[in-house]
Amino acid sequence: MKVRNYSDAELAEILDKDIFHLISDVADEMHMECYLVGGYVRDIFLDQASDDIDCVVVGSGIEMASALKKRLGRRAYLSVFKNFGTAQVKVANANQGLPLEIEFVGARKESYHRDSRKPIVEDGTLEDDQNRRDFTINAMAICLNKEHFGELVDPFGGLDDLWDGIIRTPLDPDITFSDDPLRMLRCIRFATRFNFMIEEETFNALERNVERLRIISKERICDELNKILMTKTPSRGFVDLQRSGILALIFPELAAMDNVEERNGKKHKNNFYHTLEVLDNVAKKDTSLWLRWAALLHDIGKPRSKRWDNSAGWTFHSHNYIGAKMVPGIFNRLKLPQDAKMKYVQKMVELHMRPINIADDEVTDSAVRRLVNDAGDDIDDLMTLCEADITSKNEVRKARFRENYQLVREKIADLKERDYKRLLQPVIDGNEIMEMFHLPPSKEVGILKAYLKDAVLDGIVANEREPLMQLLTAKAQEMGLALS
């Protein structure tokens, strides 16, 4: 992570923008101290752009926001959140055509009840406000008042921690995490996002305060997991979650995969670290959140399917089907969507062994047609997942799989070019079968439909009416059915 080291004069030059000068004018007119804080300040030193601006006012943030809105007129929209003592001003951004969002809050100090992360808030100073921040890198402030415009206020060495690549809390980490346990997940998320190390005492406090996460809603926890999944190298976050003991509390099925058994001198691989390697491989493709969830869950059924066989050693038969059945329960518990996204992940988990089995043997047209039929429009994502699943240390075996996967992809591309949906769906459908044999919707109709579909998928006949009618008639006679 590249870090810049700016002087106060250089920071003033970076902030030489109309909006910041306007905020400065309003703050001085109202005789209020006003500071840029949080992620916007951090991202200046990381040379990263941001349109979400947080300002702390020593006074009323709502009054400050209201005054700024008056100065901006119709170019701005004001939202006030009285219960939280905050207000947001959205300003049309002429440079990008996007709204610039500026949030104002009054400087405050906080205290907490043991059973809640909702703070008791009192008015405070800038020092009080910085004390309550989660991490040193988020506790830096830059003054916007004219007399000290651009001056950095960094009481906890946040800039040094950026340079050193360290995540730590401004004050006692046990208090920080106990007060608001969600900060534990944020700690791991920031370390993952920036590729930073968590300072030793801060990490030890994660271990000591795991149980405090029980007061956090599943939705909040899942939001942080999603953000970790969408980082460049999500495995780092899940390793820290496991090492700290957090994973066992919030995601026990995944934590259970970090286990290796030995019997008769034979060990199976650590499926937890294999899963994280697959996840990172998928992340390299800049894939969607839901394909990353599929990567995380693709082997989730292995602990339940693990068996010892005296001749074969350790086996995980049907782990893909077991894992697919586990997906709805995991999604429900974590408050993930119970819709097409869950079905997509479930399908990826169930089918992830199919391309591997094809590539481990002769790549036949029939096997590829069946795979495409079952995966449907998600076939490319499935292939991405399965290629990411090649983590063998045997380079010869790995090369063979990659070559065979390429052959599978070529056959899929050929099917698509020839309109695979038309080729895979028999031209005689269930309605016509019912009409031909005077049948209601029934088991017999399903058998005949499946018989024709298997014939098309296996390449026994072309997907054309005449050869399919011959097969259908013969099968119906075998079943004691007659054409009308």
Side-chain angles (χ1 to χ4, degrees):
M1 183 66 62
K2 182 172 65 175
V3 181
R4 301 282 190 180
N5 195 7
Y6 295 114
S7 67
D8 289 348
E10 289 170 324
L11 288 174
E13 188 173 339
I14 290 170
L15 299 178
D16 185 17
K17 299 176 181 177
D18 290 344
I19 188 63
F20 294 125
H21 287 300
L22 186 55
I23 294 171
S24 179
D25 290 342
V26 172
D28 284 350
E29 287 172 10
M30 300 181 73
H31 305 289
M32 291 183 181
E33 295 177 40
C34 184
Y35 301 86
L36 281 174
V37 293
Y40 191 87
V41 176
R42 178 198 66 223
D43 289 348
I44 287 175
F45 292 102
L46 293 176
D47 203 22
Q48 295 182 359
S50 176
D51 286 325
D52 294 328
I53 301 170
D54 290 325
C55 290
V56 162
V57 179
V58 181
S60 170
I62 293 175
E63 289 180 13
M64 176 78 176
S66 300
L68 179 64
K69 160 67 175 96
K70 287 182 181 178
R71 292 286 292 270
L72 288 165
R74 293 182 179 179
R75 289 191 296 145
Y77 179 80
L78 174 67
S79 300
V80 176
F81 310 96
K82 288 185 178 179
N83 289 343
F84 299 97
T86 66
Q88 184 188 74
V89 178
K90 284 190 177 181
V91 189
N93 186 337
N95 294 328
Q96 300 177 10
L98 298 172
L100 195 66
E101 297 182 356
I102 311 166
E103 187 157 320
F104 291 89
V105 62
R108 61 195 187 186
K109 50 186 175 182
E110 298 174 344
S111 57
Y112 292 79
H113 288 302
R114 178 74 184 168
D115 59 349
S116 173
R117 62 182 291 263
K118 185 177 179 181
I120 300 167
V121 177
E122 301 175 64
D123 291 341
T125 64
L126 174 66
E127 181 182 3
D128 291 326
D129 202 88
Q130 289 179 297
N131 286 343
R132 73 177 181 84
R133 297 281 162 174
D134 50 7
F135 309 111
T136 60
I137 63 172
N138 295 333
M140 296 181 287
I142 299 175
C143 187
L144 291 181
N145 296 93
K146 279 207 167 31
E147 187 177 351
H148 299 285
F149 191 83
E151 289 185 13
L152 177 67
V153 183
D154 183 18
F156 304 110
L159 185 54
D160 288 338
D161 286 346
L162 277 181
W163 275 101
D164 294 336
I166 291 174
I167 301 292
R168 64 183 175 93
T169 59
L171 302 178
D172 183 336
D174 283 305
I175 295 174
T176 298
F177 294 149
S178 181
D179 282 350
D180 184 355
L182 188 66
R183 290 168 175 166
M184 293 192 280
L185 294 176
R186 285 170 55 84
C187 175
I188 291 173
R189 191 238 300 175
F190 280 121
T192 307
R193 174 184 170 187
F194 296 128
N195 197 23
F196 282 8
M197 297 297 295
I198 301 173
E199 180 261 341
E200 184 177 3
E201 185 54 31
T202 301
F203 190 88
N204 292 340
L206 292 177
E207 297 176 296
R208 290 191 293 267
N209 289 276
V210 168
E211 288 296 317
R212 290 289 290 149
L213 278 166
R214 293 189 186 278
I215 71 169
I216 303 298
S217 71
K218 296 295 194 301
E219 290 86 352
R220 291 277 190 172
I221 289 172
C222 193
D223 183 54
E224 291 298 324
L225 288 179
N226 285 340
K227 289 175 180 177
I228 290 171
L229 276 169
M230 290 307 294
T231 59
K232 185 178 180 181
T233 312
S235 64
R236 287 180 52 90
F238 285 95
V239 169
D240 282 342
L241 288 170
Q242 179 72 337
R243 288 174 54 230
S244 63
I246 292 174
L247 196 64
L249 179 70
I250 66 174
F251 202 159
E253 301 91 340
L254 186 59
M257 296 175 71
D258 188 9
N259 174 267
V260 177
E261 286 191 60
E262 181 176 356
R263 189 175 294 188
N264 297 346
K266 292 184 178 180
K267 296 180 181 179
H268 61 79
K269 67 185 175 185
N270 186 307
N271 289 305
F272 176 73
Y273 287 98
H274 162 73
T275 291
L276 297 188
E277 188 175 353
V278 174
L279 175 60
D280 282 350
N281 287 342
V282 165
K284 290 174 185 174
K285 303 292 185 180
D286 195 25
T287 47
S288 73
L289 171 64
W290 304 110
L291 186 55
R292 294 180 190 218
W293 267 108
L296 190 66
L297 297 179
H298 81 284
D299 277 349
I300 202 71
K302 280 192 169 180
R304 296 187 186 182
S305 66
K306 183 170 67 174
R307 300 289 184 273
W308 170 259
D309 184 284
N310 287 327
S311 57
W314 293 106
T315 67
F316 302 91
H317 296 312
S318 300
H319 74 273
N320 52 319
Y321 299 110
I322 293 170
K325 289 180 180 178
M326 292 169 66
V327 168
I330 291 170
F331 267 51
N332 182 57
R333 193 186 72 247
L334 293 176
K335 304 301 181 185
L336 285 160
Q338 301 284 300
D339 55 14
K341 298 180 181 70
M342 184 271 286
K343 293 289 187 183
Y344 165 88
V345 172
Q346 192 174 27
K347 178 165 71 170
M348 293 293 108
V349 172
E350 181 175 337
L351 295 180
H352 82 269
M353 293 297 294
R354 290 275 293 280
I356 294 171
N357 293 334
I358 292 173
D360 202 22
D361 202 350
E362 180 184 357
V363 182
T364 65
D365 290 347
S366 172
V368 172
R369 279 196 295 270
R370 286 185 173 278
L371 175 66
V372 171
N373 177 73
D374 293 341
D377 292 337
D378 299 316
I379 183 64
D380 289 334
D381 284 355
L382 179 63
M383 290 302 297
T384 296
L385 172 61
C386 292
E387 287 165 346
D389 201 10
I390 306 173
T391 62
S392 171
K393 300 301 183 283
N394 184 324
E395 293 300 324
V396 174
R397 179 176 170 81
K398 188 184 291 187
R400 190 182 82 246
F401 270 123
R402 284 177 174 160
E403 289 173 3
N404 282 2
Y405 274 142
Q406 183 56 37
L407 183 56
V408 172
R409 279 195 177 275
E410 289 171 4
K411 287 182 178 290
I412 290 170
D414 180 60
L415 267 178
K416 284 185 176 181
E417 189 176 338
R418 292 185 287 134
D419 186 4
Y420 72 81
K421 289 183 179 178
R422 180 182 59 80
L423 291 171
L424 299 181
Q425 298 299 322
V427 294
I428 301 174
D429 63 16
N431 290 328
E432 191 170 357
I433 291 172
M434 287 189 287
E435 185 178 335
M436 286 180 191
F437 298 99
H438 287 297
L439 291 171
S442 60
K443 179 181 177 181
E444 287 77 11
V445 176
I447 290 172
L448 291 172
K449 281 179 61 181
Y451 182 70
L452 294 184
K453 188 157 196 173
D454 286 343
V456 170
L457 294 176
D458 290 335
I460 294 172
V461 295
N463 190 11
E464 297 171 359
R465 188 171 187 79
E466 186 175 341
L468 283 175
M469 276 298 297
Q470 292 176 4
L471 280 180
L472 178 62
T473 302
K475 182 65 176 177
Q477 288 176 348
E478 182 185 313
M479 296 171 60
L481 301 172
L483 282 167
S484 60

